[in-house]
Amino acid sequence: MLRLDKVNKYYRVGTHSLHALRDVDIEIADGEFVAIMGASGSGKSTLLNILGILDDYDSGEYRLGDTLIRNLSERKAANYRNRFIGFVFQSFNLLPFKTALENIALPLYYQGVTRRKRNQIAAQYLERVGLRDWADHTPSEMSGGQKQRVAIARALISKPRLILADEPTGALDSETSRQIMDLLSEINAAGITILVVTHDSEVAARTRRMIRLKDGLVVSPHDAGASHPQLARQPQTAAES
Amino acid sequence: MIDLDNWREIWAVLRSNRLRTILTAAGVFWGILILMLMLGFGSAMQTGIRRQSKGMATNLLFVWGQNTTKAYEGMQPNRWIRFRHSDIDLLRTLPGVEWLAPRLQLGGWMSNFNVSYEGKTGAFNIFADFPEFKHIVAFEYDAGRFINDRDIAEQRKVVVIGKAVVDELYPPGVNPIGTYIKISGVYFQVVGVTRTLRTGQQGDRDAHTLFVPFTTLKTAFHINDRVDFFAMTARPGTDGPELERQVREALQKAHHVAPDDKVAIGSFNMFVIFNKLETIFFVLWAISWIVGGATLLAGVIGVSNIMLITVKERTKEFGVRKALGAPPSVIVGMLIKESIVLTAAAGVFGIVVGTGMLAAAGAILEKVPDFPLAAPVVSLQTALVAVGVLIVAGALAGIMPASHAASIRPVEALRAE
């Protein structure tokens, strides 16, 4: 599905250089449900941006499927993001002046799908996330959980192979968080690879594998997925978040 | 990409900051309004002044005799120059002369003579003319014709009369053609009734004029060898000053006038006047575009400025769009469309209001036909050019902010708040 080989990323801060990712090797297979964990500044956001083709890396190799993702033009990068990757953000990032339906349909607009067709498809996805009656509502009329459902539907509409979720429950209460994670699990069960960046161990516990980052290094890249119920109870993990 | 969502999006964005949109649009509105008003009144002035010289050839030259101021070839100064019949043939041979109309007024310049028809009498101007005069001042004919060559050759006692002569002497419903009217005791048969194209004082004088064949008048009233003045048009390719030079040279030689005596032969060169007018019209037109255009430019810069602020505020939104797969070209296109819509909507509103104001001014000005300001009209062509200018201006105003928005890297755009 995707593979990182000795990926390094530096940030230049004044005269200093910050080594944000150090020789990161990650391999994720089709259909996995993976949590990327780490404290603030551990490099997890940087990793997510690189995986999402939102940012470049300095050395190493990133392959998404069979495609080497490196020095792409902005146009090509936009095209790959549109077709291969769905994003779910902590702050939902819905366009405030568009209805739920129009928000969901947006990725198809960038594919040049006609308005009638993309709204038809968007309606199906809206139903899938349980918000059929909310099509004509704008985000300001919806609760946080509903907004995140719309965002998930938007991420799904272009039938991506990979969903990148950046703290998807960070702005939600625990009951709503649980529902969102249920939805993500359901989507994963349908065969879509999901990567969740989080520092919430309960969220991580719902995934099937965990990658921990510390100071730009992968600490336990191949942590056994089966062990996660214990992980959730480990005090040091909770402390780190 | 013409998509309904596109337009709804633009509408939503423009509406989301209503006051700012209105103020920005006001700048463009004001610019185009000024441009419309300036162009409208500029053309109104042009039409108004042209109207006053309507019916006259624009390449005209008039020459008449005056007093000499210099001694020359044994002649004393202060001698009155009187043109003779021999001057007619002399001027006809000049290369620059197209149509030559020697003229003679019965009794001299600005004299009136009694003209009567069946007991009714009025005072009118009597002119002796050649057929060529119709190329100097254009008339329309309510009935009949102008003087022709046979009238001249056979010295026919015919007359062409102005509209006022008919109105003042003939009972209503009587066709003047074929009737006889008496000019200072001599009967002439009416062969034509003219209607002048000129307005105001000149038009009035045309209406009160009777035209008699040059040769007839000379014989009938025993006028000796004299021509009051020459009116002529320049042959195509000869400009006004050149024609005037040729005519002066010939006449100065024939009448023994010192070549440097500028006073002895008077002249009026329409050509020069028209040229000056055309220059003034051009300058007026250019100023309209410069001032109006500059005002519009200020409005457009306002649009560009606001778009830059908008782009800054919406950076996060662009980040989201980019993450969802919007290529830079779509972001650029979206913002340029937004800019064009704002500029064009404000501009078209300005054109409509401007046209309304010009129409209102026109309704008033139409009632004063002799005023040197006609009803202002902005041609459809000008309006279309203005709309074109607006669209281009809107696009230009959008380019800088749009390319700025497109150039922000998605990761930075998403981080913005």
Side-chain angles (χ1 to χ4, degrees), chain B residues 242-265:
Chain B
E242 166 61 15
L243 175 67
E244 189 173 341
R245 195 193 58 75
Q246 290 178 6
V247 169
R248 275 181 180 279
E249 200 180 84
L251 290 174
Q252 279 167 342
K253 214 166 179 183
H255 292 270
H256 309 285
V257 174
D260 56 346
D261 189 343
K262 299 285 177 216
V263 182
I265 294 164

mmCIF file with all atom_site columns, all heavy atoms in Angstrom, chain B residues 242-265:
data_model
loop_
_atom_site.group_PDB
_atom_site.id
_atom_site.type_symbol
_atom_site.label_atom_id
_atom_site.label_alt_id
_atom_site.label_comp_id
_atom_site.label_asym_id
_atom_site.label_entity_id
_atom_site.label_seq_id
_atom_site.pdbx_PDB_ins_code
_atom_site.Cartn_x
_atom_site.Cartn_y
_atom_site.Cartn_z
_atom_site.occupancy
_atom_site.B_iso_or_equiv
_atom_site.pdbx_formal_charge
_atom_site.auth_seq_id
_atom_site.auth_comp_id
_atom_site.auth_asym_id
_atom_site.auth_atom_id
_atom_site.pdbx_PDB_model_num
ATOM 1   N N   . GLU B 1 242 ? -3.371 75.241 -48.636 1.00 0.00 ? 242 GLU B N   1
ATOM 2   C CA  . GLU B 1 242 ? -2.794 75.232 -49.985 1.00 0.00 ? 242 GLU B CA  1
ATOM 3   C C   . GLU B 1 242 ? -3.748 75.891 -50.978 1.00 0.00 ? 242 GLU B C   1
ATOM 4   O O   . GLU B 1 242 ? -3.344 76.698 -51.825 1.00 0.00 ? 242 GLU B O   1
ATOM 5   C CB  . GLU B 1 242 ? -2.491 73.778 -50.389 1.00 0.00 ? 242 GLU B CB  1
ATOM 6   C CG  . GLU B 1 242 ? -2.199 73.534 -51.869 1.00 0.00 ? 242 GLU B CG  1
ATOM 7   C CD  . GLU B 1 242 ? -0.980 74.299 -52.388 1.00 0.00 ? 242 GLU B CD  1
ATOM 8   O OE1 . GLU B 1 242 ? -0.189 74.790 -51.565 1.00 0.00 ? 242 GLU B OE1 1
ATOM 9   O OE2 . GLU B 1 242 ? -0.838 74.420 -53.622 1.00 0.00 ? 242 GLU B OE2 1
ATOM 10  N N   . LEU B 1 243 ? -5.041 75.581 -50.871 1.00 0.00 ? 243 LEU B N   1
ATOM 11  C CA  . LEU B 1 243 ? -6.036 76.195 -51.742 1.00 0.00 ? 243 LEU B CA  1
ATOM 12  C C   . LEU B 1 243 ? -6.030 77.715 -51.556 1.00 0.00 ? 243 LEU B C   1
ATOM 13  O O   . LEU B 1 243 ? -6.028 78.478 -52.524 1.00 0.00 ? 243 LEU B O   1
ATOM 14  C CB  . LEU B 1 243 ? -7.428 75.635 -51.413 1.00 0.00 ? 243 LEU B CB  1
ATOM 15  C CG  . LEU B 1 243 ? -8.591 76.283 -52.165 1.00 0.00 ? 243 LEU B CG  1
ATOM 16  C CD1 . LEU B 1 243 ? -8.513 75.970 -53.650 1.00 0.00 ? 243 LEU B CD1 1
ATOM 17  C CD2 . LEU B 1 243 ? -9.939 75.817 -51.595 1.00 0.00 ? 243 LEU B CD2 1
ATOM 18  N N   . GLU B 1 244 ? -5.979 78.109 -50.280 1.00 0.00 ? 244 GLU B N   1
ATOM 19  C CA  . GLU B 1 244 ? -6.002 79.547 -49.992 1.00 0.00 ? 244 GLU B CA  1
ATOM 20  C C   . GLU B 1 244 ? -4.786 80.233 -50.596 1.00 0.00 ? 244 GLU B C   1
ATOM 21  O O   . GLU B 1 244 ? -4.884 81.332 -51.154 1.00 0.00 ? 244 GLU B O   1
ATOM 22  C CB  . GLU B 1 244 ? -6.034 79.759 -48.475 1.00 0.00 ? 244 GLU B CB  1
ATOM 23  C CG  . GLU B 1 244 ? -6.281 81.209 -48.097 1.00 0.00 ? 244 GLU B CG  1
ATOM 24  C CD  . GLU B 1 244 ? -6.474 81.414 -46.604 1.00 0.00 ? 244 GLU B CD  1
ATOM 25  O OE1 . GLU B 1 244 ? -6.771 80.431 -45.899 1.00 0.00 ? 244 GLU B OE1 1
ATOM 26  O OE2 . GLU B 1 244 ? -6.332 82.566 -46.159 1.00 0.00 ? 244 GLU B OE2 1
ATOM 27  N N   . ARG B 1 245 ? -3.641 79.566 -50.558 1.00 0.00 ? 245 ARG B N   1
ATOM 28  C CA  . ARG B 1 245 ? -2.401 80.133 -51.114 1.00 0.00 ? 245 ARG B CA  1
ATOM 29  C C   . ARG B 1 245 ? -2.553 80.336 -52.616 1.00 0.00 ? 245 ARG B C   1
ATOM 30  O O   . ARG B 1 245 ? -2.244 81.400 -53.154 1.00 0.00 ? 245 ARG B O   1
ATOM 31  C CB  . ARG B 1 245 ? -1.226 79.197 -50.802 1.00 0.00 ? 245 ARG B CB  1
ATOM 32  C CG  . ARG B 1 245 ? 0.144  79.811 -50.992 1.00 0.00 ? 245 ARG B CG  1
ATOM 33  C CD  . ARG B 1 245 ? 1.238  78.749 -50.973 1.00 0.00 ? 245 ARG B CD  1
ATOM 34  N NE  . ARG B 1 245 ? 1.055  77.716 -51.991 1.00 0.00 ? 245 ARG B NE  1
ATOM 35  C CZ  . ARG B 1 245 ? 1.294  77.916 -53.300 1.00 0.00 ? 245 ARG B CZ  1
ATOM 36  N NH1 . ARG B 1 245 ? 1.725  79.079 -53.726 1.00 0.00 ? 245 ARG B NH1 1
ATOM 37  N NH2 . ARG B 1 245 ? 1.093  76.923 -54.154 1.00 0.00 ? 245 ARG B NH2 1
ATOM 38  N N   . GLN B 1 246 ? -3.080 79.303 -53.295 1.00 0.00 ? 246 GLN B N   1
ATOM 39  C CA  . GLN B 1 246 ? -3.254 79.389 -54.757 1.00 0.00 ? 246 GLN B CA  1
ATOM 40  C C   . GLN B 1 246 ? -4.199 80.538 -55.132 1.00 0.00 ? 246 GLN B C   1
ATOM 41  O O   . GLN B 1 246 ? -3.925 81.323 -56.038 1.00 0.00 ? 246 GLN B O   1
ATOM 42  C CB  . GLN B 1 246 ? -3.845 78.079 -55.307 1.00 0.00 ? 246 GLN B CB  1
ATOM 43  C CG  . GLN B 1 246 ? -2.890 76.903 -55.265 1.00 0.00 ? 246 GLN B CG  1
ATOM 44  C CD  . GLN B 1 246 ? -3.547 75.617 -55.770 1.00 0.00 ? 246 GLN B CD  1
ATOM 45  O OE1 . GLN B 1 246 ? -4.687 75.637 -56.262 1.00 0.00 ? 246 GLN B OE1 1
ATOM 46  N NE2 . GLN B 1 246 ? -2.829 74.518 -55.665 1.00 0.00 ? 246 GLN B NE2 1
ATOM 47  N N   . VAL B 1 247 ? -5.313 80.608 -54.399 1.00 0.00 ? 247 VAL B N   1
ATOM 48  C CA  . VAL B 1 247 ? -6.341 81.604 -54.726 1.00 0.00 ? 247 VAL B CA  1
ATOM 49  C C   . VAL B 1 247 ? -5.806 83.012 -54.497 1.00 0.00 ? 247 VAL B C   1
ATOM 50  O O   . VAL B 1 247 ? -5.935 83.913 -55.337 1.00 0.00 ? 247 VAL B O   1
ATOM 51  C CB  . VAL B 1 247 ? -7.619 81.346 -53.897 1.00 0.00 ? 247 VAL B CB  1
ATOM 52  C CG1 . VAL B 1 247 ? -8.579 82.516 -54.019 1.00 0.00 ? 247 VAL B CG1 1
ATOM 53  C CG2 . VAL B 1 247 ? -8.273 80.060 -54.360 1.00 0.00 ? 247 VAL B CG2 1
ATOM 54  N N   . ARG B 1 248 ? -5.176 83.217 -53.359 1.00 0.00 ? 248 ARG B N   1
ATOM 55  C CA  . ARG B 1 248 ? -4.609 84.528 -53.036 1.00 0.00 ? 248 ARG B CA  1
ATOM 56  C C   . ARG B 1 248 ? -3.592 84.962 -54.083 1.00 0.00 ? 248 ARG B C   1
ATOM 57  O O   . ARG B 1 248 ? -3.618 86.105 -54.556 1.00 0.00 ? 248 ARG B O   1
ATOM 58  C CB  . ARG B 1 248 ? -3.906 84.496 -51.682 1.00 0.00 ? 248 ARG B CB  1
ATOM 59  C CG  . ARG B 1 248 ? -4.844 84.717 -50.525 1.00 0.00 ? 248 ARG B CG  1
ATOM 60  C CD  . ARG B 1 248 ? -4.076 84.692 -49.210 1.00 0.00 ? 248 ARG B CD  1
ATOM 61  N NE  . ARG B 1 248 ? -5.011 84.914 -48.135 1.00 0.00 ? 248 ARG B NE  1
ATOM 62  C CZ  . ARG B 1 248 ? -5.448 86.118 -47.782 1.00 0.00 ? 248 ARG B CZ  1
ATOM 63  N NH1 . ARG B 1 248 ? -4.981 87.197 -48.395 1.00 0.00 ? 248 ARG B NH1 1
ATOM 64  N NH2 . ARG B 1 248 ? -6.346 86.256 -46.834 1.00 0.00 ? 248 ARG B NH2 1
ATOM 65  N N   . GLU B 1 249 ? -2.716 84.031 -54.436 1.00 0.00 ? 249 GLU B N   1
ATOM 66  C CA  . GLU B 1 249 ? -1.647 84.363 -55.390 1.00 0.00 ? 249 GLU B CA  1
ATOM 67  C C   . GLU B 1 249 ? -2.243 84.831 -56.707 1.00 0.00 ? 249 GLU B C   1
ATOM 68  O O   . GLU B 1 249 ? -1.848 85.865 -57.252 1.00 0.00 ? 249 GLU B O   1
ATOM 69  C CB  . GLU B 1 249 ? -0.773 83.123 -55.605 1.00 0.00 ? 249 GLU B CB  1
ATOM 70  C CG  . GLU B 1 249 ? 0.594  83.427 -56.164 1.00 0.00 ? 249 GLU B CG  1
ATOM 71  C CD  . GLU B 1 249 ? 1.394  82.141 -56.360 1.00 0.00 ? 249 GLU B CD  1
ATOM 72  O OE1 . GLU B 1 249 ? 1.238  81.479 -57.406 1.00 0.00 ? 249 GLU B OE1 1
ATOM 73  O OE2 . GLU B 1 249 ? 2.151  81.795 -55.434 1.00 0.00 ? 249 GLU B OE2 1
ATOM 74  N N   . ALA B 1 250 ? -3.248 84.085 -57.204 1.00 0.00 ? 250 ALA B N   1
ATOM 75  C CA  . ALA B 1 250 ? -3.869 84.419 -58.474 1.00 0.00 ? 250 ALA B CA  1
ATOM 76  C C   . ALA B 1 250 ? -4.569 85.768 -58.409 1.00 0.00 ? 250 ALA B C   1
ATOM 77  O O   . ALA B 1 250 ? -4.433 86.607 -59.313 1.00 0.00 ? 250 ALA B O   1
ATOM 78  C CB  . ALA B 1 250 ? -4.857 83.323 -58.868 1.00 0.00 ? 250 ALA B CB  1
ATOM 79  N N   . LEU B 1 251 ? -5.315 85.986 -57.329 1.00 0.00 ? 251 LEU B N   1
ATOM 80  C CA  . LEU B 1 251 ? -6.083 87.226 -57.214 1.00 0.00 ? 251 LEU B CA  1
ATOM 81  C C   . LEU B 1 251 ? -5.183 88.434 -56.988 1.00 0.00 ? 251 LEU B C   1
ATOM 82  O O   . LEU B 1 251 ? -5.427 89.532 -57.513 1.00 0.00 ? 251 LEU B O   1
ATOM 83  C CB  . LEU B 1 251 ? -7.113 87.113 -56.092 1.00 0.00 ? 251 LEU B CB  1
ATOM 84  C CG  . LEU B 1 251 ? -8.279 86.150 -56.374 1.00 0.00 ? 251 LEU B CG  1
ATOM 85  C CD1 . LEU B 1 251 ? -9.164 85.998 -55.156 1.00 0.00 ? 251 LEU B CD1 1
ATOM 86  C CD2 . LEU B 1 251 ? -9.096 86.622 -57.581 1.00 0.00 ? 251 LEU B CD2 1
ATOM 87  N N   . GLN B 1 252 ? -4.119 88.224 -56.195 1.00 0.00 ? 252 GLN B N   1
ATOM 88  C CA  . GLN B 1 252 ? -3.182 89.325 -55.936 1.00 0.00 ? 252 GLN B CA  1
ATOM 89  C C   . GLN B 1 252 ? -2.540 89.790 -57.245 1.00 0.00 ? 252 GLN B C   1
ATOM 90  O O   . GLN B 1 252 ? -2.405 90.981 -57.498 1.00 0.00 ? 252 GLN B O   1
ATOM 91  C CB  . GLN B 1 252 ? -2.097 88.879 -54.949 1.00 0.00 ? 252 GLN B CB  1
ATOM 92  C CG  . GLN B 1 252 ? -2.570 88.938 -53.507 1.00 0.00 ? 252 GLN B CG  1
ATOM 93  C CD  . GLN B 1 252 ? -1.631 88.221 -52.558 1.00 0.00 ? 252 GLN B CD  1
ATOM 94  O OE1 . GLN B 1 252 ? -0.807 87.415 -52.968 1.00 0.00 ? 252 GLN B OE1 1
ATOM 95  N NE2 . GLN B 1 252 ? -1.773 88.518 -51.273 1.00 0.00 ? 252 GLN B NE2 1
ATOM 96  N N   . LYS B 1 253 ? -2.209 88.817 -58.096 1.00 0.00 ? 253 LYS B N   1
ATOM 97  C CA  . LYS B 1 253 ? -1.575 89.135 -59.371 1.00 0.00 ? 253 LYS B CA  1
ATOM 98  C C   . LYS B 1 253 ? -2.564 89.897 -60.263 1.00 0.00 ? 253 LYS B C   1
ATOM 99  O O   . LYS B 1 253 ? -2.233 90.941 -60.827 1.00 0.00 ? 253 LYS B O   1
ATOM 100 C CB  . LYS B 1 253 ? -1.163 87.833 -60.074 1.00 0.00 ? 253 LYS B CB  1
ATOM 101 C CG  . LYS B 1 253 ? 0.110  87.946 -60.875 1.00 0.00 ? 253 LYS B CG  1
ATOM 102 C CD  . LYS B 1 253 ? 0.579  86.547 -61.228 1.00 0.00 ? 253 LYS B CD  1
ATOM 103 C CE  . LYS B 1 253 ? 1.832  86.565 -62.054 1.00 0.00 ? 253 LYS B CE  1
ATOM 104 N NZ  . LYS B 1 253 ? 2.217  85.197 -62.437 1.00 0.00 ? 253 LYS B NZ  1
ATOM 105 N N   . ALA B 1 254 ? -3.795 89.401 -60.345 1.00 0.00 ? 254 ALA B N   1
ATOM 106 C CA  . ALA B 1 254 ? -4.790 89.989 -61.228 1.00 0.00 ? 254 ALA B CA  1
ATOM 107 C C   . ALA B 1 254 ? -5.186 91.393 -60.779 1.00 0.00 ? 254 ALA B C   1
ATOM 108 O O   . ALA B 1 254 ? -5.554 92.233 -61.604 1.00 0.00 ? 254 ALA B O   1
ATOM 109 C CB  . ALA B 1 254 ? -6.021 89.082 -61.281 1.00 0.00 ? 254 ALA B CB  1
ATOM 110 N N   . HIS B 1 255 ? -5.114 91.645 -59.457 1.00 0.00 ? 255 HIS B N   1
ATOM 111 C CA  . HIS B 1 255 ? -5.593 92.954 -58.950 1.00 0.00 ? 255 HIS B CA  1
ATOM 112 C C   . HIS B 1 255 ? -4.455 93.846 -58.477 1.00 0.00 ? 255 HIS B C   1
ATOM 113 O O   . HIS B 1 255 ? -4.695 94.817 -57.759 1.00 0.00 ? 255 HIS B O   1
ATOM 114 C CB  . HIS B 1 255 ? -6.614 92.734 -57.830 1.00 0.00 ? 255 HIS B CB  1
ATOM 115 C CG  . HIS B 1 255 ? -7.893 92.117 -58.323 1.00 0.00 ? 255 HIS B CG  1
ATOM 116 N ND1 . HIS B 1 255 ? -8.961 92.859 -58.752 1.00 0.00 ? 255 HIS B ND1 1
ATOM 117 C CD2 . HIS B 1 255 ? -8.245 90.832 -58.509 1.00 0.00 ? 255 HIS B CD2 1
ATOM 118 C CE1 . HIS B 1 255 ? -9.934 92.043 -59.155 1.00 0.00 ? 255 HIS B CE1 1
ATOM 119 N NE2 . HIS B 1 255 ? -9.514 90.792 -59.026 1.00 0.00 ? 255 HIS B NE2 1
ATOM 120 N N   . HIS B 1 256 ? -3.218 93.488 -58.850 1.00 0.00 ? 256 HIS B N   1
ATOM 121 C CA  . HIS B 1 256 ? -2.047 94.296 -58.505 1.00 0.00 ? 256 HIS B CA  1
ATOM 122 C C   . HIS B 1 256 ? -1.970 94.570 -57.014 1.00 0.00 ? 256 HIS B C   1
ATOM 123 O O   . HIS B 1 256 ? -1.872 95.706 -56.569 1.00 0.00 ? 256 HIS B O   1
ATOM 124 C CB  . HIS B 1 256 ? -2.061 95.626 -59.296 1.00 0.00 ? 256 HIS B CB  1
ATOM 125 C CG  . HIS B 1 256 ? -2.253 95.411 -60.758 1.00 0.00 ? 256 HIS B CG  1
ATOM 126 N ND1 . HIS B 1 256 ? -1.245 94.948 -61.574 1.00 0.00 ? 256 HIS B ND1 1
ATOM 127 C CD2 . HIS B 1 256 ? -3.340 95.575 -61.551 1.00 0.00 ? 256 HIS B CD2 1
ATOM 128 C CE1 . HIS B 1 256 ? -1.706 94.829 -62.826 1.00 0.00 ? 256 HIS B CE1 1
ATOM 129 N NE2 . HIS B 1 256 ? -2.981 95.207 -62.841 1.00 0.00 ? 256 HIS B NE2 1
ATOM 130 N N   . VAL B 1 257 ? -2.057 93.500 -56.240 1.00 0.00 ? 257 VAL B N   1
ATOM 131 C CA  . VAL B 1 257 ? -1.957 93.625 -54.785 1.00 0.00 ? 257 VAL B CA  1
ATOM 132 C C   . VAL B 1 257 ? -0.577 93.124 -54.358 1.00 0.00 ? 257 VAL B C   1
ATOM 133 O O   . VAL B 1 257 ? -0.081 92.127 -54.884 1.00 0.00 ? 257 VAL B O   1
ATOM 134 C CB  . VAL B 1 257 ? -3.048 92.777 -54.092 1.00 0.00 ? 257 VAL B CB  1
ATOM 135 C CG1 . VAL B 1 257 ? -2.864 92.771 -52.575 1.00 0.00 ? 257 VAL B CG1 1
ATOM 136 C CG2 . VAL B 1 257 ? -4.431 93.282 -54.461 1.00 0.00 ? 257 VAL B CG2 1
ATOM 137 N N   . ALA B 1 258 ? 0.038  93.867 -53.453 1.00 0.00 ? 258 ALA B N   1
ATOM 138 C CA  . ALA B 1 258 ? 1.360  93.457 -52.960 1.00 0.00 ? 258 ALA B CA  1
ATOM 139 C C   . ALA B 1 258 ? 1.255  92.056 -52.353 1.00 0.00 ? 258 ALA B C   1
ATOM 140 O O   . ALA B 1 258 ? 0.316  91.775 -51.626 1.00 0.00 ? 258 ALA B O   1
ATOM 141 C CB  . ALA B 1 258 ? 1.846  94.448 -51.900 1.00 0.00 ? 258 ALA B CB  1
ATOM 142 N N   . PRO B 1 259 ? 2.237  91.182 -52.686 1.00 0.00 ? 259 PRO B N   1
ATOM 143 C CA  . PRO B 1 259 ? 2.151  89.793 -52.193 1.00 0.00 ? 259 PRO B CA  1
ATOM 144 C C   . PRO B 1 259 ? 2.102  89.718 -50.669 1.00 0.00 ? 259 PRO B C   1
ATOM 145 O O   . PRO B 1 259 ? 1.576  88.763 -50.119 1.00 0.00 ? 259 PRO B O   1
ATOM 146 C CB  . PRO B 1 259 ? 3.429  89.146 -52.725 1.00 0.00 ? 259 PRO B CB  1
ATOM 147 C CG  . PRO B 1 259 ? 3.874  90.018 -53.847 1.00 0.00 ? 259 PRO B CG  1
ATOM 148 C CD  . PRO B 1 259 ? 3.410  91.411 -53.527 1.00 0.00 ? 259 PRO B CD  1
ATOM 149 N N   . ASP B 1 260 ? 2.651  90.730 -49.975 1.00 0.00 ? 260 ASP B N   1
ATOM 150 C CA  . ASP B 1 260 ? 2.651  90.656 -48.516 1.00 0.00 ? 260 ASP B CA  1
ATOM 151 C C   . ASP B 1 260 ? 1.486  91.446 -47.903 1.00 0.00 ? 260 ASP B C   1
ATOM 152 O O   . ASP B 1 260 ? 1.443  91.655 -46.702 1.00 0.00 ? 260 ASP B O   1
ATOM 153 C CB  . ASP B 1 260 ? 3.996  91.152 -47.959 1.00 0.00 ? 260 ASP B CB  1
ATOM 154 C CG  . ASP B 1 260 ? 4.323  92.559 -48.429 1.00 0.00 ? 260 ASP B CG  1
ATOM 155 O OD1 . ASP B 1 260 ? 3.659  93.026 -49.381 1.00 0.00 ? 260 ASP B OD1 1
ATOM 156 O OD2 . ASP B 1 260 ? 5.223  93.183 -47.838 1.00 0.00 ? 260 ASP B OD2 1
ATOM 157 N N   . ASP B 1 261 ? 0.552  91.888 -48.746 1.00 0.00 ? 261 ASP B N   1
ATOM 158 C CA  . ASP B 1 261 ? -0.613 92.606 -48.212 1.00 0.00 ? 261 ASP B CA  1
ATOM 159 C C   . ASP B 1 261 ? -1.690 91.593 -47.803 1.00 0.00 ? 261 ASP B C   1
ATOM 160 O O   . ASP B 1 261 ? -2.391 91.032 -48.639 1.00 0.00 ? 261 ASP B O   1
ATOM 161 C CB  . ASP B 1 261 ? -1.155 93.571 -49.288 1.00 0.00 ? 261 ASP B CB  1
ATOM 162 C CG  . ASP B 1 261 ? -2.217 94.499 -48.722 1.00 0.00 ? 261 ASP B CG  1
ATOM 163 O OD1 . ASP B 1 261 ? -2.746 94.203 -47.633 1.00 0.00 ? 261 ASP B OD1 1
ATOM 164 O OD2 . ASP B 1 261 ? -2.516 95.505 -49.384 1.00 0.00 ? 261 ASP B OD2 1
ATOM 165 N N   . LYS B 1 262 ? -1.767 91.371 -46.514 1.00 0.00 ? 262 LYS B N   1
ATOM 166 C CA  . LYS B 1 262 ? -2.666 90.306 -46.033 1.00 0.00 ? 262 LYS B CA  1
ATOM 167 C C   . LYS B 1 262 ? -4.113 90.798 -45.942 1.00 0.00 ? 262 LYS B C   1
ATOM 168 O O   . LYS B 1 262 ? -5.033 90.003 -45.781 1.00 0.00 ? 262 LYS B O   1
ATOM 169 C CB  . LYS B 1 262 ? -2.219 89.820 -44.638 1.00 0.00 ? 262 LYS B CB  1
ATOM 170 C CG  . LYS B 1 262 ? -0.829 89.231 -44.619 1.00 0.00 ? 262 LYS B CG  1
ATOM 171 C CD  . LYS B 1 262 ? -0.824 87.830 -45.244 1.00 0.00 ? 262 LYS B CD  1
ATOM 172 C CE  . LYS B 1 262 ? 0.595  87.274 -45.284 1.00 0.00 ? 262 LYS B CE  1
ATOM 173 N NZ  . LYS B 1 262 ? 0.860  86.473 -46.491 1.00 0.00 ? 262 LYS B NZ  1
ATOM 174 N N   . VAL B 1 263 ? -4.290 92.099 -45.966 1.00 0.00 ? 263 VAL B N   1
ATOM 175 C CA  . VAL B 1 263 ? -5.611 92.655 -45.681 1.00 0.00 ? 263 VAL B CA  1
ATOM 176 C C   . VAL B 1 263 ? -6.465 92.791 -46.933 1.00 0.00 ? 263 VAL B C   1
ATOM 177 O O   . VAL B 1 263 ? -7.689 92.635 -46.888 1.00 0.00 ? 263 VAL B O   1
ATOM 178 C CB  . VAL B 1 263 ? -5.464 94.028 -44.976 1.00 0.00 ? 263 VAL B CB  1
ATOM 179 C CG1 . VAL B 1 263 ? -6.831 94.603 -44.615 1.00 0.00 ? 263 VAL B CG1 1
ATOM 180 C CG2 . VAL B 1 263 ? -4.620 93.875 -43.724 1.00 0.00 ? 263 VAL B CG2 1
ATOM 181 N N   . ALA B 1 264 ? -5.827 93.042 -48.075 1.00 0.00 ? 264 ALA B N   1
ATOM 182 C CA  . ALA B 1 264 ? -6.554 93.398 -49.290 1.00 0.00 ? 264 ALA B CA  1
ATOM 183 C C   . ALA B 1 264 ? -7.575 92.334 -49.705 1.00 0.00 ? 264 ALA B C   1
ATOM 184 O O   . ALA B 1 264 ? -8.638 92.664 -50.220 1.00 0.00 ? 264 ALA B O   1
ATOM 185 C CB  . ALA B 1 264 ? -5.564 93.637 -50.431 1.00 0.00 ? 264 ALA B CB  1
ATOM 186 N N   . ILE B 1 265 ? -7.239 91.094 -49.492 1.00 0.00 ? 265 ILE B N   1
ATOM 187 C CA  . ILE B 1 265 ? -8.169 90.031 -49.836 1.00 0.00 ? 265 ILE B CA  1
ATOM 188 C C   . ILE B 1 265 ? -8.547 89.303 -48.545 1.00 0.00 ? 265 ILE B C   1
ATOM 189 O O   . ILE B 1 265 ? -7.691 88.733 -47.864 1.00 0.00 ? 265 ILE B O   1
ATOM 190 C CB  . ILE B 1 265 ? -7.549 89.062 -50.862 1.00 0.00 ? 265 ILE B CB  1
ATOM 191 C CG1 . ILE B 1 265 ? -7.327 89.802 -52.187 1.00 0.00 ? 265 ILE B CG1 1
ATOM 192 C CG2 . ILE B 1 265 ? -8.433 87.843 -51.070 1.00 0.00 ? 265 ILE B CG2 1
ATOM 193 C CD1 . ILE B 1 265 ? -6.401 89.112 -53.134 1.00 0.00 ? 265 ILE B CD1 1
#
